Amino acid sequence: MAGLGAWNLARAALIILLLPRSLEQCGHISLSAPIVRLGDPITASCTISQNCSRLDSESHIVWKLEAELQPGERQQYLPNGTLQSTITLPHLNRSRALLSCCLHWGNSLQILDQAELQAGYPPATPHNLSCLMNLTTNSLTCQWEPGPNTHLSTNFTLKSFKSRGNCQSREDSIPDCVPEDGQSHCSIPRKHLQLYQNMGIWVQAKNALGTSVSPKLCLVPMDVVKLEPPTLWALGPSPEVAPPQPGCLRLRWETWKPSLHIDQKCELRHQPLLGEASWDLVGALPSRTLQYELCGLLPSTAYALQMRCTRWRLPGHWSNWSPSLELTTTQRAPTVRMDTWWRQRQLDPRTVDVQLFWQPVPLEEDSGQIQGYLVSLRPSDQAGADPMLCNTTELNCTFQLPSEAREVILEAYNTAGTSHPTPVVFLESGGPPLGRLHTMARDPHSLWVGWEPPSPQPRGYVIEWGLGPPSPSGSPKMWRMEHNGSIAGTLLQENIRPFQLYEITVTPLYQDTKGPSQHIYAYSQEMAPSHGPELHLRHIGKTWAQLEWAPEAPELGRSPLTHYTIFWTNAQDRSFSTVLNASSHSFVLRGLEPSSLYHVHLMAASQAWATNSTSLTLMTLALEESELHILLGLFGLLVLLICLCGATQLCCRPRKNPLWPSVPDPAHSSLGSWVPTITTEDTFQLPSLRDSSMPPITKITVLEEEEKKPGPWESNDSSGTCGLPSLVQAYVLQGDPRVPRIQPQPQSGTSDQVLYVQVLGSPTGPRPGHYLRCDSTQPLLGGLTPSPKSYENLWFQTSPLGTPEPLVPNPEDDCIFEPLFDFPLLQGLRVSGVEGLGGF
């Protein structure tokens, strides 16, 4: 921050030097405060003297904060002729900024004066004050945490005084200790200290915005003394002292010379150099003992040791840990059990070639390091021992023995001695064999080997596995001994790789003999078939194609096929597929289109993955000319059949046929079902019956060809016919049909009767005509068709005038006078036969 302020001042000085002579001493900036709290407002004023040659009535002062133009609040001329402009920055959010007062000079903006603005925070209270008495530098060093950055130049001072009590009263002042810039620690020299007298110590922080002090610390310099760590050395062998036991280390140390007069206690810690073990701490060591034997360590293991010390029975601080001392523990004789296995080959009647294998099994956590193995006919510690058969660092050995030899001795050794001898007895094969031997792959890197335990139960098993043929005969094999004779299988995970054939051998071991070895071959993961079968086209038709293929012979190490999948695609890139079992050798593609191109390929799949075979392109046969003719004929027959069905439909339903008028069948329908519905929009006007130009119709006679015998439901009584003949029914129409008539309500009990009518009146009479309806039961039509309801005869009932005309009944007849056009048959005649009836 100090460097940045110096640079800004230098830049301002350079700008002033570059100003024209006429503008020198023209302007001056005054600040309300040179340093403010970050975010607070600040006010500045710029005054231009009256002797400035560039000052005129149109002069305008411009403010700039760094490179940004700032609007001034007001500009005014003072009584003494000077021009003054004031600016207020409401929030100064920069820790340092350069404010410039400018005036237009020609076409450029000239700086008259500049002022540096500073903003920050008051100093925070220093905390975590602690002090240590360093006997090396013979000074009291105190350190603290200064707190957050204030963005201002802050000075720290370490203050202290001497006191007789609990630092409540001051006796002698101690000169202030001022740290270097940026440092948060300071040391008070020994000449200003009383080592066994209380001192009050605190830190003061001060900047332009305020001052803060830390809490006072009251201490005695010697109570906070920190000693230097001791120096560790290995204790060498001595004739008077026995060598260390296995797992023990002997060391000594030297304390720091300036602290020889101080009673001390020390701590020791150790850690193995190899591995990621943590440090183990050993308790306080005797203060005056400068050597120590550390036991309980791992034999033949390198360790790193460190030590630290502090004042004994008095307050003080622990020293730093000393530099590490690296030592190695002594070895111990191996404590292991040997699992052994062998192979024998008869060289001649007197000599046997033996290949012995072994695996050391530690009996303890600290079983000792093994440097080699010895194979002999007698233990090595017996007098007159035979020469060694093998002395090797490997886990196998090959040697020759006489045919009568049945045992050898195996030992592990190191510099501390040999392990307990392990006798190796060459057992004869005479025990019962295993049951069914089988394997199963758990994953690509393991194999499960199972068997049926024989009877009697063995004491253990030996399992061997290695690469099977065609691997070289001398390739190494793995082996394992299982000491639990009741198990029925084991998982092999060592040296198992996918896509490799392994030969696995299991041999049962009994107390004094062994059983015959059994072999099995297995893969942990098989490969996919090397290639798929070749696809051939056997027969092809217009809509089908027969495909065939020859299955591939099984390959060693290849997973057997589980199914086939056939894919075929047409010219429109539509794909089809089907799945077949592994025993299928042919397939017929059906539903193909004639004269079409298809692409076919076969995929052979196994449990590992799938392999595609060769692709095949085929084209189906085209249709022949005779087949085209047959198809066209069938299509023509289909069209003819559709036409016949349509004609039949038209004939069976003539009402809906628009080619001829709809004539109802009176014997099988009622008038209400075939009388056209007349709406207001469809009402048509007939010529008036009173028109003199039209000949009036005075009588309509309807004759039947022959007399119809009444049915069992008809009445033979003709008394209700009002004197009208049964075969001849006359109707006389007079009057204007547009005159409104009154429609009486039908009487109950006449739903099964057909009404007959006699029309009364004269065509030349002034009164409108009437008709007489009789209650005759003689049927008019062939069926029991009821008369339409009153709302079904809308055309006859509606009158443009809307005024009904009353009827006068004849008391001499038992018939009732009703309006003429209420009769349904006349309505039908009027509507359907209007062309022939003229004015009717």
Side-chain angles (χ1 to χ4, degrees), residues 352-356 375 389-390 397-401 408 426:
V352 176
D353 185 76
V354 179
Q355 188 177 11
L356 182 64
V375 180
L389 299 176
C390 288
C397 177
T398 301
F399 51 88
Q400 296 179 359
L401 287 178
V408 294
F426 303 113

Side-chain angles (χ1 to χ4, degrees), residues 292-620:
Y292 185 71
E293 183 176 11
L294 179 64
C295 293
L297 306 179
L298 298 176
S300 186
T301 304
Y303 282 89
L305 299 96
Q306 293 180 344
M307 181 176 284
R308 67 177 182 177
C309 299
T310 186
R311 296 176 70 195
W312 174 247
R313 296 178 182 175
L314 292 174
H317 293 276
W318 283 99
S319 67
N320 296 329
W321 288 103
S322 66
S324 296
L325 173 66
E326 297 181 2
L327 296 177
T328 302
T329 56
T330 58
Q331 293 184 348
R332 61 183 299 184
T335 54
V336 293
R337 184 194 74 227
M338 296 291 187
D339 290 339
T340 58
W341 182 240
W342 67 92
R343 297 192 189 101
Q344 290 181 331
R345 183 168 58 93
Q346 191 75 35
L347 296 179
D348 53 58
R350 302 182 58 184
T351 308
V352 176
D353 185 76
V354 179
Q355 188 177 11
L356 182 64
F357 305 92
W358 58 86
Q359 291 178 349
V361 181
L363 298 179
E364 300 176 6
E365 183 179 358
D366 304 331
S367 59
Q369 184 179 4
I370 297 176
Q371 296 179 343
Y373 301 92
L374 299 175
V375 180
S376 60
L377 294 177
R378 292 188 183 90
S380 58
D381 56 350
Q382 292 184 4
D386 295 336
M388 297 295 172
L389 299 176
C390 288
N391 185 356
T392 179
T393 59
E394 303 294 332
L395 296 178
N396 60 84
C397 177
T398 301
F399 51 88
Q400 296 179 359
L401 287 178
S403 299
E404 62 273 10
R406 292 290 179 267
E407 181 180 351
V408 294
I409 301 300
L410 175 64
E411 296 172 309
Y413 69 90
N414 58 20
T415 55
T418 60
S419 65
H420 185 75
T422 300
V424 181
V425 179
F426 303 113
L427 302 176
E428 297 291 340
S429 297
L434 291 174
R436 184 178 66 91
L437 185 64
H438 58 279
T439 62
M440 182 178 63
R442 290 288 182 87
D443 54 65
H445 298 280
S446 65
L447 279 171
W448 171 263
V449 184
W451 58 82
E452 294 180 1
S455 182
Q457 179 177 304
R459 63 178 178 87
Y461 302 92
V462 174
I463 300 96
E464 301 175 87
W465 69 94
L467 293 177
S471 63
S473 58
S475 59
K477 290 190 175 183
M478 304 290 293
W479 69 280
R480 179 197 301 170
M481 178 173 288
E482 296 288 348
H483 294 274
N484 186 2
S486 62
I487 64 173
T490 185
L491 184 63
L492 307 179
Q493 294 178 299
E494 297 85 5
N495 199 26
I496 299 294
R497 294 175 295 175
F499 315 127
Q500 297 288 342
L501 178 65
Y502 288 92
E503 179 184 9
I504 303 172
T505 304
V506 181
T507 304
L509 302 178
Y510 299 93
Q511 191 63 34
D512 297 323
T513 184
K514 66 177 183 176
S517 301
Q518 295 193 14
H519 306 269
I520 193 172
Y521 295 89
Y523 287 90
S524 64
Q525 183 179 359
E526 295 177 314
M527 292 185 290
S530 58
H531 57 276
E534 188 174 356
L535 192 62
H536 300 281
L537 178 64
R538 184 172 183 180
H539 299 290
I540 192 169
K542 302 177 185 63
T543 60
W544 59 273
Q546 184 178 8
L547 309 174
E548 66 176 3
W549 59 90
E552 298 293 331
E555 300 179 71
L556 189 63
R558 306 285 180 176
S559 178
L561 297 180
T562 56
H563 63 276
Y564 296 101
T565 304
I566 297 180
F567 302 89
W568 66 96
T569 307
N570 59 13
Q572 290 77 27
D573 289 335
R574 292 187 59 191
S575 299
F576 309 90
S577 64
T578 186
V579 180
L580 308 174
N581 55 36
S583 61
S584 301
H585 301 151
S586 64
F587 184 72
V588 178
L589 303 179
R590 302 187 183 277
L592 307 181
E593 297 179 0
S595 186
S596 298
L597 189 68
Y598 289 88
H599 299 280
V600 187
H601 73 272
L602 178 69
M603 183 179 70
S606 65
Q607 291 183 350
W609 46 66
T611 303
N612 290 333
S613 69
T614 56
S615 299
L616 181 65
T617 302
L618 56 90
M619 177 174 283
T620 54

Side-chain angles (χ1 to χ4, degrees), residues 28 62 104 212 248 256 335 376 491 515 668 683 692 718 728 744 813-814:
H28 175 69
V62 179
H104 285 285
S212 63
C248 293
W256 183 51
T335 54
S376 60
L491 184 63
H668 299 88
T683 303
S692 60
S718 60
V728 180
D813 267 330
D814 55 351

